[in-house]
Amino acid sequence: MSDIKTPTTTSAPSTQSTTTTTTTRPSTSRPPARPGGRPTGGRPGGRPGGRPGGRPGGRRNFRPYSKKVCRFCKKGGVKVDYKDAKGLRPFLTERGKILPRRMSGNCAKHQRKVNTAIKRARILAIIPYTALALDR
């Protein structure tokens, strides 16, 4: 077996002193948790308030509204008729789109009847498909 020697270098002790500096990072800790275990506010590092645009979370400007009642259920004798263009007009937007149930206030049963009546009236050219002829 041969002895392999590696050259070793010796260095003189350094006269410069090394100092370590610690920089403090901004705190990324979450806000204190609510009793339900969910933190308050938004995500860490996000905009203040937890919502886009800096708005506070939750439903701030919520106004309780009165529930709309289906006009066909309220008035027992009123029927949905595809030949009555003026009767179907309140269920269309100014562009000619069919209003959804949450905006028209219809129940599910009568909203389906209104939808089919509007579609039948469109096919027979009683109601236009687009908003071009709604003004007339």
Side-chain angles (χ1 to χ4, degrees):
M1 298 199 178
S2 65
D3 287 334
I4 299 176
K5 293 189 176 187
T6 58
T8 58
T9 58
T10 57
S11 63
S14 174
T15 57
Q16 296 176 352
S17 64
T18 59
T19 57
T20 59
T21 58
T22 58
T23 58
T24 57
R25 288 184 171 180
S27 175
T28 59
S29 64
R30 290 184 164 256
R34 293 192 305 207
R38 296 179 58 203
T40 58
R43 295 181 178 180
R47 291 184 179 165
R51 301 269 322 254
R55 297 189 323 247
R59 299 172 88 180
R60 285 290 201 167
N61 296 327
F62 176 72
R63 286 181 300 203
Y65 61 92
S66 61
K67 183 160 174 63
K68 294 181 181 177
V69 182
C70 176
R71 66 182 78 184
F72 299 106
C73 292
K74 187 166 56 173
K75 299 175 187 175
V78 179
K79 296 273 186 176
V80 181
D81 187 17
Y82 70 93
K83 294 172 274 188
D84 184 18
K86 287 186 180 179
L88 296 175
R89 203 52 63 98
F91 303 107
L92 294 171
T93 63
E94 52 273 352
R95 298 196 63 181
K97 296 182 177 181
I98 301 173
L99 280 177
R101 200 178 130 208
R102 66 179 180 272
M103 292 177 70
S104 66
N106 291 338
C107 64
K109 173 185 170 183
H110 287 112
Q111 181 69 23
R112 284 192 302 270
K113 289 186 178 184
V114 165
N115 282 348
T116 56
I118 289 173
K119 290 174 184 177
R120 284 178 183 168
R122 283 176 175 169
I123 290 170
L124 294 174
I126 299 171
I127 294 176
Y129 279 96
T130 60
L132 297 176
L134 272 180
D135 300 342
R136 298 177 192 162

